[in-house]
Amino acid sequence: QVQLKESGGGLVQAGGSLRLSCVASGSIFSINTMAWYRQAPGKLREFVARIIRGGSSNYADSVKGRFTISRDNAENTAYLQMNSLKPEDTAVYFCQTRTSLGSTDWGQGTQVTVSS
């Protein structure tokens, strides 16, 4: 099992930036994919960005060109650099890992609030 701890959330004005971090511990050798999801009040959790061990990444259309996911395998950490933030980016952001066998783990989430 993998334990995940997110950090870096906060309150920012529209147009601003934040950098989220997700530190993994436990069975880290099994991690293949690290991803970010978000859930706004009253909405379903949605995919934001994903990066695989080799470095390939993909993004939700709503964040392409504004968000960048990266990964430091030596530090077992994934990052989400968020630029040009919009009020609609307000949500709790969750880190997720997936192993090569398909099992997933989730962090507790970090709140991101973007004011207009």
Side-chain angles (χ1 to χ4, degrees):
Q1 189 174 11
V2 177
Q3 293 79 46
L4 302 170
K5 177 63 177 176
E6 304 98 333
S7 63
L11 173 64
V12 64
Q13 288 188 332
S17 298
L18 283 174
R19 188 194 195 203
L20 305 183
S21 299
C22 171
V23 180
S25 60
S27 300
I28 56 176
F29 61 90
S30 63
I31 298 173
N32 183 35
T33 302
M34 300 186 79
W36 289 94
Y37 286 73
R38 66 187 182 186
Q39 187 166 17
K43 296 188 176 181
L44 296 175
R45 191 171 297 188
E46 64 175 8
F47 167 76
V48 175
R50 175 186 297 115
I51 187 167
I52 65 171
R53 180 173 289 276
S56 297
S57 60
N58 62 302
Y59 299 87
D61 288 344
S62 59
V63 306
K64 279 182 182 177
R66 300 188 298 121
F67 290 11
T68 302
I69 189 170
S70 60
R71 180 173 175 173
D72 185 334
N73 289 326
E75 296 294 330
N76 307 311
T77 303
Y79 302 96
L80 186 68
Q81 178 66 44
M82 306 186 294
N83 299 328
S84 302
L85 282 161
K86 304 175 182 180
E88 50 264 44
D89 294 318
T90 295
V92 178
Y93 283 70
F94 296 90
C95 180
Q96 181 215 54
T97 56
R98 181 180 293 273
T99 71
S100 56
L101 297 179
S103 63
T104 60
D105 289 285
W106 293 89
Q108 294 297 309
T110 184
Q111 176 70 46
V112 172
T113 303
V114 184
S115 63
S116 58

